[in-house]
């Protein structure tokens, strides 16, 4: 059942009821003792905080991660039914629940012909085969449903050539190899994870004539240099030597065949030959801590910053050294047999209908699919999702609570292949979601580790997150709040608030991406994470491997599940504050600080350059000042209204201004080369100056060109785009009667 039908049936009657309430509001004379409008109930909030159970979250995780659940697999669909069963439970279910299915293009390795990486001798015979699967350390890595490591969407092929080491596979890394006099044409490039996106490694390699790419996880990047079996899982949280990271190498997000359209039967599909965003050359992840060919590379010693922790001196190649394990003229053969398949993938939606404003939605989402067992990614998030919906559903069924606004819980499908489920949802319901969504809360991996909270989000959500975390006790010894513990690990100095926890910005790493970049909805991502001063790991070590299991979480990441409970309480408090508060707790004036920092960076780092080309930042200065003034004035109007007994319709209009502000920063023509990125403040930034991304990128490209060039015209265009967006945002914040 399509979620819009599920929600529509529930909201139809509520809309009529709401209309009657509004008409009655004007028809019935006001009394001096009129009841206060529904607002956040602190007793309900306290009840929810007390009922979120760490043991129930633990048991949820045990069930969710019991078997591998790759997108569209039978087990993935079993979990669809589990969610529907929970959300339709007569004692703890929601108002309605349903699943919607999209037919999407996914990529899988061939079961008949596994992908292989071989060292081939001078006569063409195979003299060494790299490990194809992870060692069955706990009995969970060897099951029939454990997909072999592969690079999703990498093309099939069997390139063969001399091996070169290309560090992270960034464009500058390949240029460095050319500077060293290494001919890259026809070689196989060995690259490390990190630095640039997975797919970018193959794109960069192909530009320089490389025939195939191998990708490995270096112990220096994820294990603090440790790689001995005695030092790794199941004896610690570190990745075993045979661990291999799977992942999608697709450049964009959403179904590859239906960009900007939902993957439903009526939609146009791009011809497969015209699909863009796939790696251009065969690519395969490999094990490097066991018998890696990197140990035998010949050639110049790699730069110090390229050295890792494989227990050898990293050399650039090409080819192998004469005194190594392989003949010097041996080559590497990469045989990839991936295939593309149209598969059905499901989103599951559970809905709690709002009592007063049912047409305003607070969305809370988490993806369901995993590469293997996925205990951390994403089942730690789904375990929290199920517990939070259980507690709220129980209150709902008892009749003790119903939110002011509607709450929509979402379990997204096929996220690992490129945020597919959430993107198809935003494409199908673009207008409805833009018109009605208050905010989107994402909890993908709920617990990376158990040290501290980590929140990424747009500036207006900062205050509601701070308010929530100040009232919740942090796990562990002592009596700190989550807020006070958070500020110990991630903090910044604010000219407005002093020392506060730092809120990270949103990129494209999870399902919040289409909501913020495509729809312009205020968004956040909530998780518990590790102490970065104690580890150099770029992410938790077993990420996307067959070692991401329930026991890994239970023994090492979060024994006792108190951090999972802390995330559930934080997310639960944020949901209630957004769905129940009479005045929306979104503080748009917090955007002023971001805009001011972007402006100062532009003035300091780009001002002189722009002046040389007769480009003035004056209009940008005026636009930022205008926004600051209007945001402050709106904050003052809110404070004044909160002290009195405002008309609910007046508050509704004001709340709409808060809700719609983020949409004013969208310009779908700003970045034609970036699919889905429309938000002029948070688009990908390739320029080095931390300012408005379009301006930073354009200046970076124009820097070495002459005045009057197309590149400098693009700088002027990007500056105009930002100024127009800021002026539109300021206009949105003015009193609605002021045109």
């Amino acid at each position: 059942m399509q979620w819009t039908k599920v929600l529509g049936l529930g909201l139809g009657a509520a809309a009529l009821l709401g209309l009657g309430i509004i008409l009655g509001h004007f028809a019935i004379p006001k009394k001096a003792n009129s009841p206060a409008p529904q607002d956040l109930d602190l007793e309900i909030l306290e009840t929810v905080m007390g009922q979120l159970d760490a043991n129930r979250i633990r048991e949820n995780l045990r069930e969710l991660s019991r078997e591998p659940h790759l997108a569209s697999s039978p087990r993935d669909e079993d979990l669809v039914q589990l969610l529907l069963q929970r959300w339709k439970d007569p004692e703890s279910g929601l108002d309605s629940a349903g699943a919607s299915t999209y037919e999407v293009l996914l990529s899988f390795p061939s079961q008949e012909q596994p992908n292989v990486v071989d060292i081939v001798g001078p006569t063409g015979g195979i003299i060494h085969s790299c490990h194809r699967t992870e060692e069955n350390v706990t009995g969970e890595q060897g099951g029939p449903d454990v997909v072999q490591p592969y690079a999703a969407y990498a093309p099939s092929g069997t390139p063969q050539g001399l091996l070169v080491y290309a560090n992270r596979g960034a464009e500058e890394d390949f240029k460095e190899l050319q500077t060293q006099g290494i001919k890259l044409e026809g070689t196989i490039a060995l690259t490390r994870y990190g630095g640039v996106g997975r797919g970018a490694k193959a794109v960069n390699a192909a530009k320089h004539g490389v025939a195939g790419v191998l990708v490995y996880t270096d112990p220096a990047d994820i294990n603090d240099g440790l790689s001995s079996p005695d030092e790794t899982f199941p004896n610690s949280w570190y990745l075993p030597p045979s661990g291999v990271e799977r992942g999608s190498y697709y450049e964009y997000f959403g179904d590859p065949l239906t960009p900007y359209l939902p993957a439903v039967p009526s939609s146009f599909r791009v011809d497969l030959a015209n699909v863009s965003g796939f790696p251009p050359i065969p690519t395969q992840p490999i094990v490097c801590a066991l018998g890696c060919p990197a140990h035998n590379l010949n050639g110049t010693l790699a730069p110090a910053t390229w050295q890792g922790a494989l227990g050898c001196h990293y050399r650039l190649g090409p080819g192998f050294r004469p005194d190594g394990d392989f003949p010097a003229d041996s080559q590497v053969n990469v045989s990839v047999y991936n295939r593309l398949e149209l598969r059905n993938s499901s989103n599951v939606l559970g809905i709690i209908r709002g009592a007063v404003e049912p047409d305003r939605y607070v969305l809370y989402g988490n993806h369901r699919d995993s590469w293997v067992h996925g205990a951390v990614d994403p089942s730690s998030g789904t375990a929290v999702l199920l517990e939070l919906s259980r507690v709220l559903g129980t209150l709902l069924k008892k009749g003790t609570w119903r939110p002011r606004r509607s709450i929509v819980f979402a379990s997204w499908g096929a996220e690992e292949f490129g945020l597919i489920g959430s993107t198809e949802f935003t494409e199908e319901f673009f207008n409805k979601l833009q018109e009605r969504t208050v905010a989107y809360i994402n909890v993908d991996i709920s617990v990376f580790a158990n040290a501290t909270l980590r929140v990424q989000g747009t500036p207006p959500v900062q205050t509601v997150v701070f308010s929530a975390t100040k009232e919740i006790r942090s796990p562990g010894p002592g009596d700190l709040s989550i807020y006070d513990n958070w500020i110990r690990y991630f903090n910044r100095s604010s000219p407005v608030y002093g020392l506060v926890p730092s809120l990270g910005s949103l990129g494209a790493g999870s399902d919040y991406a289409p909501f913020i970049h495509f729809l312009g909805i205020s968004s956040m991502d909530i998780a518990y994470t590790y102490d970065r001063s104690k580890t150099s790991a770029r992410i938790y070590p077993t990420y996307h491997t067959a070692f991401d299991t329930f026991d890994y979480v239970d023994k090492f990441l979060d024994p006792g599940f108190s951090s999972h409970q802390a995330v559930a309480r934080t997310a639960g408090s944020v949901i209630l504050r957004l769905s129940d508060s009479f005045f929306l707790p979104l503080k748009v004036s917090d955007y002023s600080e971001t805009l001011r920092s972007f402006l100062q960076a532009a003035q300091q780092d780009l001002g002189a350059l722009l002046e040389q080309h007769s480009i003035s930042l004056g209009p940008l200065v005026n636009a930022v000042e205008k926004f600051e003034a209007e945001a402050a004035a709106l904050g003052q109007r809110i404070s004044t209204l909160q002290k009195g007994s405002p008309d609910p319709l007046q508050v509704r209009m004001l709340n709409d201004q808060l809700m719609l502000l983020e949409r004013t920063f969208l310009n779908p023509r700003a970045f034609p080369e970036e699919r889905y990125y429309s938000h002029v403040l948070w688009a990908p930034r390739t320029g080095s100056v931390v300012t408005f991304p379009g301006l930073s990128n354009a200046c970076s490209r124009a820097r070495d060109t002459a005045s009057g060039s197309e590149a400098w015209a693009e700088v002027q265009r990007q500056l105009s785009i930002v100024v127009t967006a800021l002026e539109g945002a300021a206009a949105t914040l003015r009193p609605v009667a002021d045109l």
Side-chain angles (χ1 to χ4, degrees):
M1 182 184 296
Q2 294 290 334
W3 89 283
T4 185
K5 294 177 182 176
V6 177
L7 184 59
L9 291 173
L11 299 185
L16 292 174
L17 176 61
L19 179 60
I21 292 172
I22 293 170
L23 292 174
H25 168 81
F26 290 105
I28 301 172
K30 302 293 185 294
K31 297 180 180 179
N33 59 349
S34 296
Q38 180 178 334
D39 203 352
L40 178 68
D41 187 327
L42 296 180
E43 289 186 8
I44 291 291
L45 180 60
E46 186 176 350
T47 297
V48 170
M49 296 298 99
Q51 291 184 359
L52 291 166
D53 189 326
N55 287 327
R56 285 181 180 269
I57 297 173
R58 182 176 185 271
E59 292 311 306
N60 286 342
L61 185 64
R62 186 197 299 275
E63 174 60 22
L64 291 163
S65 61
R66 181 165 50 86
E67 299 174 30
H69 44 287
L70 191 64
S72 77
S73 67
R75 178 58 181 169
D76 182 36
E77 290 305 309
D78 287 345
L79 295 183
V80 169
Q81 298 307 313
L82 183 149
L83 283 152
L84 289 173
Q85 179 186 2
R86 297 283 187 94
W87 289 347
K88 292 181 178 181
D89 186 277
E91 295 183 355
S92 60
L94 313 179
D95 285 323
S96 56
S100 57
T101 301
Y102 300 98
E103 188 178 40
V104 298
L105 188 70
L106 304 182
S107 168
F108 303 98
S110 170
Q111 293 182 332
E112 295 75 26
Q113 285 186 294
N115 297 343
V116 294
V117 177
D118 298 319
I119 309 299
V120 178
T123 61
I126 297 173
I127 56 178
H128 175 77
S129 292
C130 295
H131 282 260
R132 294 205 304 263
T133 59
E134 288 141 315
E135 291 185 323
N136 196 6
V137 172
T138 65
E140 298 163 290
Q141 292 75 42
D145 295 328
V146 174
V147 68
Q148 77 156 104
Y150 74 112
Y153 297 109
S156 59
T158 56
Q160 182 171 308
L162 296 175
L163 189 68
V164 296
Y165 171 54
N167 193 30
R168 309 281 183 184
E171 174 67 16
E172 54 266 29
D173 295 332
F174 288 104
K175 287 182 177 178
E176 173 64 22
L177 291 176
Q178 288 182 321
T179 300
Q180 295 285 343
I182 295 173
K183 294 182 179 179
L184 295 172
E185 189 76 28
T187 60
I188 304 298
L190 177 67
T191 65
R192 294 159 67 166
Y193 272 117
V196 297
R198 300 184 195 100
K201 299 176 192 296
V203 171
N204 295 333
K207 290 178 184 176
H208 296 275
V210 173
V213 174
L214 303 177
V215 190
Y216 80 98
T217 300
D218 198 291
D221 300 326
I222 211 158
N223 272 13
D224 297 323
L226 303 175
S227 60
S228 164
D230 293 337
E231 301 169 318
T232 59
F233 183 71
N235 300 309
S236 80
W237 87 313
Y238 291 118
L239 180 67
S242 65
V244 188
E245 180 180 323
R246 298 149 181 82
S248 173
Y249 284 64
Y250 180 46
E251 183 179 356
Y252 306 120
F253 42 90
D255 171 44
L257 296 182
T258 58
Y260 294 105
L261 296 170
V264 297
S266 61
S267 288
F268 169 79
R269 281 176 163 76
V270 177
D271 187 278
L272 195 56
N274 297 325
V275 172
S276 59
F278 293 165
I281 52 179
T283 305
Q284 175 66 18
I286 64 167
V287 173
C288 253
L290 297 174
C292 178
H295 289 86
N296 295 275
L297 272 171
N298 198 11
T300 306
L301 197 66
T305 55
W306 290 29
Q307 298 293 326
L310 288 175
C312 64
H313 295 295
Y314 289 34
R315 295 185 176 274
L316 301 179
F320 300 116
R321 66 179 193 270
D323 60 341
D325 297 330
F326 317 123
D329 50 359
S330 298
Q331 297 187 346
V332 174
N333 179 274
V334 181
S335 297
V336 174
Y337 302 104
N338 294 345
R339 64 184 189 274
L340 297 169
E341 292 187 19
L342 281 172
R343 292 279 192 94
N344 287 332
S345 180
S346 302
N347 291 337
V348 189
L349 280 295
I351 296 158
I352 299 176
R353 187 182 66 254
V356 182
E357 299 181 74
D359 62 332
R360 289 293 176 261
Y361 314 147
V362 176
L363 266 64
Y364 177 98
N366 158 247
H367 76 93
R368 184 184 61 258
D369 64 302
S370 66
W371 286 111
V372 193
H373 293 84
V376 182
D377 181 12
S379 299
S380 66
T382 310
V384 166
L385 170 73
L386 286 172
E387 174 61 3
L388 187 51
S389 61
R390 180 195 70 83
V391 171
L392 295 182
T394 300
L395 293 176
L396 186 72
K397 293 300 185 184
K398 288 181 177 179
T400 56
W401 166 82
R402 178 172 292 281
R404 180 184 185 87
R405 303 176 185 90
S406 295
I407 298 172
V408 181
F409 291 105
S411 172
W412 309 118
E415 185 269 359
E416 294 293 7
F417 287 84
L419 319 182
I420 288 178
S422 56
T423 302
E424 300 313 301
F425 176 75
T426 56
E427 290 169 336
E428 184 169 12
F429 303 109
F430 180 91
N431 291 323
K432 177 178 284 190
L433 293 170
Q434 273 206 325
E435 292 168 1
R436 303 178 184 180
T437 306
V438 169
Y440 175 71
I441 304 160
N442 196 68
V443 180
D444 180 343
I445 297 171
S446 69
V447 175
F448 290 87
N450 58 9
T452 180
L453 188 71
R454 183 222 67 184
V455 181
Q456 299 167 313
T458 52
V461 307
Q462 174 179 267
T463 297
V464 68
V465 175
F466 287 177
S467 297
T469 53
K470 286 177 180 177
E471 303 300 323
I472 306 169
R473 184 182 174 278
S474 175
D479 196 30
L480 291 176
S481 67
I482 289 178
Y483 179 92
D484 290 332
N485 185 61
W486 181 12
I487 209 170
R488 294 166 59 204
Y489 291 91
F490 301 105
N491 60 66
R492 67 182 181 89
S493 180
S494 163
V496 178
Y497 304 110
L499 193 69
V500 295
S502 57
L503 207 71
S505 58
L506 295 171
S510 190
D511 290 299
Y512 52 75
F515 290 94
I516 179 59
H517 297 303
F518 185 41
L519 268 62
I521 291 170
S522 293
S523 301
M524 69 189 83
D525 184 76
I526 302 173
Y528 240 72
T529 191
Y530 39 82
D531 181 352
R532 292 189 179 276
S533 70
K534 295 182 178 179
T535 178
S536 61
R538 63 182 177 85
I539 198 167
Y540 72 95
T542 66
Y543 175 69
H544 285 191
T545 73
F547 302 105
D548 182 357
T549 62
F550 173 78
D551 282 347
Y552 181 75
V553 178
D554 197 34
K555 293 179 180 178
F556 301 113
L557 257 65
D558 191 22
F561 280 70
S562 59
S563 295
H564 283 78
Q565 184 183 48
V567 171
R569 286 172 171 168
T570 300
S573 180
V574 169
I575 286 175
L576 287 173
R577 291 168 189 272
L578 288 169
S579 63
D580 273 350
S581 297
F582 186 37
F583 287 85
L584 276 179
L586 297 174
K587 192 167 185 180
V588 296
S589 61
D590 284 347
Y591 243 128
S592 298
E593 206 172 318
T594 298
L595 298 176
R596 177 59 60 175
S597 70
F598 280 5
L599 174 61
Q600 290 173 346
Q603 290 172 316
Q604 294 169 9
D605 300 327
L606 298 176
L609 177 66
L610 292 170
E611 189 175 338
Q612 291 173 14
H613 295 272
S614 303
I615 299 175
S616 172
L617 286 174
L620 183 60
V621 172
N622 293 336
V624 170
E625 290 176 349
K626 194 179 296 184
F627 179 91
E628 291 172 333
E630 296 297 348
L634 178 63
Q636 186 58 52
R637 291 199 300 277
I638 292 172
S639 297
T640 301
L641 285 173
Q642 286 174 331
K643 295 173 184 176
S645 300
D647 186 302
L649 287 181
Q650 190 177 16
V651 176
R652 164 83 171 207
M653 288 189 293
L654 187 146
N655 283 341
D656 281 355
Q657 291 176 274
L658 302 177
M659 179 183 77
L660 295 172
L661 171 68
E662 206 76 61
R663 322 288 201 264
T664 65
F665 295 118
L666 297 183
N667 186 324
R669 295 179 181 271
F671 315 107
E673 73 283 2
E674 298 283 359
R675 188 180 294 180
Y676 293 106
Y677 288 100
S678 300
H679 202 299
V680 301
L681 302 182
W682 305 118
R685 182 174 52 80
T686 55
S688 60
V689 180
V690 184
T691 184
F692 304 97
L695 181 62
S696 179
N697 299 346
C699 284
S700 178
R701 290 190 292 264
R703 189 176 292 271
D704 297 324
T705 67
S707 293
S709 67
E710 289 187 10
W712 281 108
E714 178 62 15
V715 171
Q716 291 179 314
R717 189 180 82 92
Q718 289 294 337
L719 184 58
S720 294
I721 285 171
V722 173
V723 169
T724 300
L726 294 180
E727 289 179 340
T732 297
L733 299 181
R734 294 191 194 106
V736 293
D738 296 351
L739 298 179

